[in-house]
């Protein structure tokens, strides 16, 4: 009999964290490594937000808080959802957790029974299927191809839903592709969901503010108000506000679900960091103009990376609408051999050889449920991106 839980056999460690760790190890060993695997902005947290945290410490706001968030933060979240998404929520409908990942996990733990199915469009964030498995559910992968710009169609969603379906996890703009759904594209999906009243929607809006080329963000309950009572709208401060390490995520939804999520949090982590909560209040209530300044930098980087990757032999890179990722296909590289003698049998072999031979760290597409591709995070300097893409071009040119 194993000492460890059988549940652990259902899940695997995060591939994105594994790539970042491997890159750090190689860099520490003296290798010239450019890491393009990290999913966090390279910008510093804005000064007003840091000042709010310092002020909270000075004021002695360092004690436990309510399990799922201070009233001031819940009010700020309600104001944000009304301001940005035209959604009306009360503080009783809001839960604050230690990052968006905990919020998603709490919701799944609070609702899934053995055999319950969760539809997850692919490519997907690596943690979605494993969180479903940990909660006892069954992930149902609905594959969205490059032919549809990595976006799920209404027909694909319809085909994935069964009587056992409990949730659709919906992420736009997407990690890993950067693909974002327009109002009409999302309305086609919500029309399907209206025909299946047993299916709830868990939206991951973490990259909401990181959109380019005049793209207009929208979220399911905003597009289709009839879904309001079976939607959990999830967001956080990590990406747009460059607060990844502060660990604050939040969700708004029906009161019974929010209470159930709070019950789970009360017996796991309890309240999120008090200081981080006060910082998040300032993030949501304070000046927002820096977001557009940062987005202009991200858009320039996106265009640089897309252009250079499309110039690499065997690589095809779509232009995404949001986030800070691109998801190029390496279909033209499969079956070849690298200059270092590595057989490129799949995208994992491509990423491994790329790291070992050029020092460029990317995450292979199979980790996100769709091959043969890889993910690049362009949340780093123009100089690093230019050098990394040049190395990728050289690597691809050396394939034979």
């Amino acid at each position: 009999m194993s000492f460890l839980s059988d549940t652990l056999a259902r899940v695997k460690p995060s591939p994105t964290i594994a790539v970042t760790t491997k890159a750090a190890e190689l860099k520490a060993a003296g290798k010239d490594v450019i890491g393009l695997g990290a999913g966090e902005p390279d910008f510093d947290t804005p000064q007003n937000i840091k000042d709010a945290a310092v002020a909270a410490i000075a004021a002695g706001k360092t004690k436990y808080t309510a399990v799922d968030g201070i009233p001031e933060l819940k009010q700020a979240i309600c104001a944000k959802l009304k301001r940005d998404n035209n959604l009306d929520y009360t503080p009783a409908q809001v839960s604050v957790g230690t990052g968006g990942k905990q919020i998603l996990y709490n919701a799944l733990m609070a609702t899934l029974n053995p055999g319950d199915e969760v539809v997850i469009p692919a490519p997907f964030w690596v943690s979605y299927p494993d969180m479903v498995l940990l909660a006892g559910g069954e992930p149902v992968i609905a594959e969205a191809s490059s032919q549809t710009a990595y976006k799920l169609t209404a027909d694909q969603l319809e085909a994935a839903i069964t009587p056992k379906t409990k949730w659709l996890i919906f992420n736009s703009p997407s990690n890993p592709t950067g693909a974002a759904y327009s109002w009409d594209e999302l309305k086609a999906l919500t029309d399907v969901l209206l025909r299946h009243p047993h299916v709830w929607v868990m939206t991951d809006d973490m990259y909401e503010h990181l959109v380019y080329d005049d793209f207009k963000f929208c979220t399911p309950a905003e597009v289709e108000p009839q879904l309001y009572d079976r939607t959990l709208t999830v967001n956080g401060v990590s990406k747009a506000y460059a607060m990844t390490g502060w660990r604050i995520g939040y969700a708004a939804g029906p009161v019974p679900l929010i209470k159930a999520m709070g019950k789970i949090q009360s017996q796991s982590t309890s309240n999120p960091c008090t200081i981080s909560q006060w910082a998040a209040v300032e993030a949501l209530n304070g000046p927002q103009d820096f977001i557009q300044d940062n987005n202009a930098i991200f858009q320039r980087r996106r265009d640089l990376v897309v252009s250079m990757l499309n110039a690499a032999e065997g690589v095809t890179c779509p232009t995404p609408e949001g986030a800070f990722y691109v998801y190029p296909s390496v279909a033209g590289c499969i079956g070849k051999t690298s200059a270092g003698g590595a057989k490129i049998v799949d995208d994992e072999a491509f990423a491994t050889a790329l790291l070992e031979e050029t020092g460029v760290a990317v995450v292979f597409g199979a980790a996100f449920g769709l091959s043969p591709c890889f993910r690049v995070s362009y949340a780093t300097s123009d100089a690093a991106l230019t050098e990394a893409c040049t190395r990728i071009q050289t690597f691809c040119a050396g394939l034979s």
Side-chain angles (χ1 to χ4, degrees):
M1 179 182 296
S2 172
F3 177 72
L4 298 177
S5 167
D6 291 343
T7 301
L8 286 178
R10 290 167 60 86
V11 301
K12 56 186 180 298
S14 168
T16 52
I17 293 175
V19 167
T20 302
T21 301
K22 178 66 173 176
E25 290 172 351
L26 290 172
K27 186 174 291 188
K31 188 173 180 64
D32 179 16
V33 174
I34 303 174
L36 303 180
E40 63 179 347
D42 58 324
F43 306 124
D44 193 16
T45 302
Q47 189 62 45
N48 64 302
I49 298 173
K50 294 192 288 186
D51 290 344
V54 173
I57 295 171
K61 297 176 179 177
T62 58
K63 307 298 184 182
Y64 293 133
T65 74
V67 166
D68 63 349
I70 58 177
E72 293 84 353
L73 181 51
K74 290 189 173 187
Q75 287 284 4
I77 291 165
C78 291
K80 174 260 177 270
L81 290 167
K82 181 62 175 178
R83 176 182 72 233
D84 296 341
N85 312 113
N86 197 32
L87 292 173
D88 291 303
Y89 286 101
T90 66
Q93 294 175 280
V94 174
S95 181
V96 182
T98 305
K101 184 178 284 189
Q102 182 181 33
I103 290 291
L104 296 165
Y105 184 73
N106 285 350
L108 293 169
M109 288 294 293
T111 57
L112 292 184
N113 294 307
D116 285 345
E117 295 177 351
V118 177
V119 175
I120 304 173
F124 47 70
W125 180 44
V126 295
S127 293
Y128 294 147
D130 287 303
M131 286 194 289
V132 170
L133 290 167
L134 277 171
E138 298 297 331
V140 175
I141 307 304
E143 188 173 297
S145 71
S146 58
Q147 281 70 43
T148 59
Y150 300 126
K151 300 175 192 179
L152 193 69
T153 67
D155 288 344
Q156 289 171 318
L157 176 58
E158 185 77 57
I161 292 174
T162 76
K164 296 181 179 180
T165 305
K166 183 161 281 187
W167 286 102
L168 163 68
I169 297 181
F170 180 78
N171 178 213
S172 172
S174 161
N175 176 4
T177 66
Y181 291 71
S182 69
W183 186 284
D184 289 343
E185 289 169 335
L186 186 46
K187 185 63 169 65
L189 298 182
T190 59
D191 284 349
V192 173
L193 294 170
L194 288 177
R195 296 196 291 271
H196 299 278
H198 66 293
V199 181
W200 284 49
V201 192
M202 188 181 302
T203 80
D204 183 347
D205 296 347
M206 195 63 70
Y207 297 90
E208 168 187 3
H209 292 301
L210 305 183
V211 293
Y212 317 115
D213 302 321
D214 298 321
F215 182 88
K216 302 298 183 185
F217 173 83
C218 54
T219 194
E222 175 188 17
V223 170
E224 181 45 77
Q226 292 183 72
L227 292 177
Y228 177 88
D229 289 332
R230 49 188 172 109
T231 298
L232 184 70
T233 300
V234 181
N235 211 319
V237 298
S238 60
K239 311 301 183 180
Y241 299 94
M243 294 176 67
T244 51
W246 297 76
R247 307 307 300 137
I248 294 292
Y250 59 84
V255 170
L257 173 58
I258 295 298
K259 286 184 175 180
M261 291 165 60
K263 181 184 293 187
I264 290 172
Q265 193 159 307
S266 73
Q267 298 295 0
S268 53
T269 62
S270 196
N271 67 272
C273 172
T274 305
I275 309 307
S276 295
Q277 290 190 65
W278 284 106
V281 171
E282 174 61 22
L284 294 176
N285 288 343
Q288 308 289 305
D289 53 335
F290 69 92
I291 294 176
Q292 290 307 313
D293 295 338
N294 290 349
N295 279 5
I297 296 172
F298 276 141
Q299 182 168 333
R300 184 187 70 235
R301 293 172 176 175
R302 179 203 65 175
D303 294 344
L304 167 69
V305 170
V306 168
S307 174
M308 292 192 71
L309 289 178
N310 276 321
E313 296 180 33
V315 177
T316 304
C317 185
T319 301
E321 294 89 351
F324 40 70
Y325 309 107
V326 294
Y327 199 68
S329 167
V330 290
C333 301
I334 303 302
K336 297 183 178 181
T337 302
S338 73
K343 300 292 186 182
I344 310 301
V345 296
D346 53 25
D347 50 34
E348 183 173 4
F350 178 94
T352 299
L354 183 68
L355 177 58
E356 292 176 349
E357 297 181 27
T358 74
V360 175
V362 300
V363 186
F364 57 93
F368 304 104
L370 187 70
S371 296
C373 302
F374 65 95
R375 189 191 77 173
V376 165
S377 168
Y378 51 85
T380 189
S381 70
D382 291 42
L385 292 170
T386 299
E387 175 61 23
C389 289
T390 299
R391 294 184 192 182
I392 292 172
Q393 289 175 348
T394 302
F395 176 80
C396 291
L399 297 175
S400 60

